[in-house]
Amino acid sequence: MKARTKGVKALALLSGGLDSTLAVKLMLDQGIDVEAVNFVSPFCLCRRGGCGALEVAKNFNMRLKTINVGEEYLRIVRKPRFGYGRNLNPCIDCRIFMLKKAKKYAEETGASFIFTGEVLGQRPMSQHWKTLGVIEEEAGLKGKILRPLSAKLLPQTEAEKKGIVSRETLLGIEGRSRKKQIRLAEELKVTEYSCPGGGCLLTYKEFASKLKDLFEHKKRVSLKDVQLLKVGRNEAENSLLLRIRMANDYCFEAQDTGSPVTLLQGLKTRTAIEKAAELTAYHSDTKQGVVLVKFGKGRFDRSLRTPIPSQQKVEQLRVTWQKGADA
Ligand code: SF4
């Protein structure tokens, strides 16, 4: 049965990755007027904001709304109702959060339905059959989210029942392999997409350890704190660290040798200062002997000489990931 798509508007959740790009293409090919919304979180890994969503929207000549999620999102990451995935990724809460925002935007813009590029069973936590239902219900969108790539394996949505989307043109893809999507992209001549698997720092073990430690030791965590966790590995990042540090932070830098910039937050006790200096010395280019480390608040106006600590000592201080009970 041919759908009545004339004048139908739909809102896509577009990451710019392969799946959401294909979902958009399928809807556009039905003659539906599509606008997309793209969420940019502090944990987004793509260098160009929006994971290439901008390019995809441009390519399809489609309107795109970018929503930057900040402190409100951070609170969800800190205390997710539905727990974490393998690392510190609260995927179920994250999807609910985004869909609630999308719902509001769809109401404002008069979109008849929302659709996503989700594929049944592709992600163990958030794309499981039962979980998709929970997410819909919690977002206040029960039966209202169309997933064009897996629709034939899922109950009919409101848009299909109303006849504004033709179920025959929807697909029944499931599982983790992306072979079918890559083939489909070739068939539909979709060439502009990026980050096929998406990119979220919360799914990275090392970053999750640092963030978990921050949550455990700091009552109020800001976006700036998160930004600090993300940098500190090369010269450009060193100067970024110096720019975005807080007024009370102490900075440390080894003298006359390649050195990272270390930030000390919280109490500046003698022990804390010595430890920060030791870590700076350990990560400097000098590998033995004693290192002169300069430090201070705002300026490097104080200094101390410190021996390079052993690897064992440094490892004891390292923040390591321990899966929580709800992970
Ligand atoms: S991987 Fe990250 S962005 Fe994607 S749903 Fe999970 S928490 Fe959200």
Side-chain angles (χ1 to χ4, degrees):
M1 195 181 65
K2 199 163 177 341
R4 303 181 311 274
T5 56
K6 199 166 183 298
V8 174
K9 276 171 92 177
L11 183 68
L13 259 67
L14 178 71
S15 69
L18 177 57
D19 297 342
S20 59
T21 304
L22 285 174
V24 166
K25 176 73 173 140
L26 288 173
M27 291 297 97
L28 287 173
D29 285 354
Q30 285 211 16
I32 291 168
D33 177 17
V34 178
E35 176 170 0
V37 64
N38 173 247
F39 290 91
V40 179
S41 94
F43 307 104
C44 194
L45 265 176
C46 299
R47 255 179 258 138
R48 294 168 300 160
C51 259
L54 210 62
E55 282 83 353
V56 174
K58 221 156 95 189
N59 206 29
F60 288 145
N61 201 12
M62 174 179 71
R63 298 180 302 285
L64 176 74
K65 163 96 175 160
T66 302
I67 298 182
N68 285 290
V69 299
E71 304 281 349
E72 195 188 354
Y73 183 73
L74 208 52
R75 284 196 289 278
I76 285 169
V77 175
R78 188 166 195 165
K79 275 202 171 143
R81 275 179 60 211
F82 293 93
Y84 296 111
R86 193 181 287 271
N87 291 299
L88 220 58
N89 45 311
C91 294
I92 297 175
D93 293 81
C94 173
R95 295 302 290 173
I96 295 168
F97 175 85
M98 290 180 186
L99 283 164
K100 277 185 178 167
K101 298 264 177 222
K103 179 176 182 257
K104 194 163 169 275
Y105 188 66
E107 283 161 5
E108 283 165 22
T109 56
S112 304
F113 66 95
I114 293 172
F115 68 94
T116 74
E118 286 164 308
V119 169
L120 195 61
Q122 188 175 87
R123 302 199 179 186
M125 188 181 193
S126 60
Q127 295 179 10
H128 184 273
W129 201 88
K130 271 193 192 154
T131 321
L132 292 179
V134 172
I135 292 172
E136 278 187 18
E137 186 129 16
E138 290 288 327
L141 286 164
K142 194 153 177 55
K144 293 184 177 165
I145 303 170
L146 180 72
R147 295 161 176 109
L149 300 184
S150 292
K152 281 192 172 152
L153 305 170
L154 297 165
Q156 270 206 342
T157 59
E158 210 175 272
E160 293 159 84
K161 286 180 190 161
K162 281 185 187 164
I164 54 176
V165 174
S166 154
R167 191 165 172 90
E168 278 110 81
T169 60
L170 304 173
L171 307 175
I173 302 175
E174 70 175 320
R176 299 177 74 94
S177 161
R178 283 204 155 83
K179 278 188 193 148
K180 284 187 183 159
Q181 287 95 308
I182 290 169
R183 224 172 26 237
L184 183 66
E186 282 164 13
E187 276 169 32
L188 298 178
K189 302 198 174 11
V190 170
T191 50
E192 191 70 56
Y193 60 86
S194 59
C195 293
C200 172
L201 260 178
L202 296 169
T203 61
Y204 285 74
K205 196 172 161 189
E206 197 183 299
F207 183 80
S209 314
K210 291 197 281 181
L211 186 63
K212 189 167 184 270
D213 186 68
L214 184 68
F215 285 156
E216 279 169 7
H217 291 94
K218 209 164 177 198
K219 217 170 169 187
R220 294 183 61 146
V221 172
S222 67
L223 289 176
K224 214 166 178 184
D225 293 317
V226 172
Q227 222 180 335
L228 284 170
L229 282 192
K230 287 162 46 179
V231 298
R233 286 171 182 257
N234 57 37
E235 207 177 323
E237 290 186 346
N238 275 347
S239 47
L240 181 60
L241 256 186
L242 289 172
R243 262 188 285 131
I244 63 177
R245 70 191 163 77
M246 319 272 180
N248 281 331
D249 295 344
Y250 274 18
C251 309
F252 294 73
E253 192 174 53
Q255 284 300 286
D256 308 321
T257 179
S259 165
V261 167
T262 307
L263 286 192
L264 175 62
Q265 298 188 312
L267 287 180
K268 317 295 184 300
T269 59
R270 184 77 208 162
T271 314
I273 290 172
E274 281 170 4
K275 281 212 170 86
E278 281 179 12
L279 287 173
T280 310
Y282 182 84
H283 290 288
S284 74
D285 288 347
T286 303
K287 292 300 165 213
Q288 54 186 0
V290 171
V291 177
L292 175 67
V293 177
K294 293 210 156 195
F295 68 96
K297 192 164 74 175
R299 282 177 300 144
F300 294 100
D301 52 358
R302 297 164 67 185
S303 65
L304 58 83
R305 284 185 184 280
T306 180
I308 296 169
S310 66
Q311 190 181 358
Q312 196 192 11
K313 198 170 174 190
V314 171
E315 287 306 320
Q316 281 165 1
L317 292 170
R318 193 180 294 282
V319 175
T320 51
W321 170 252
Q322 289 197 336
K323 213 172 172 188
D326 54 353

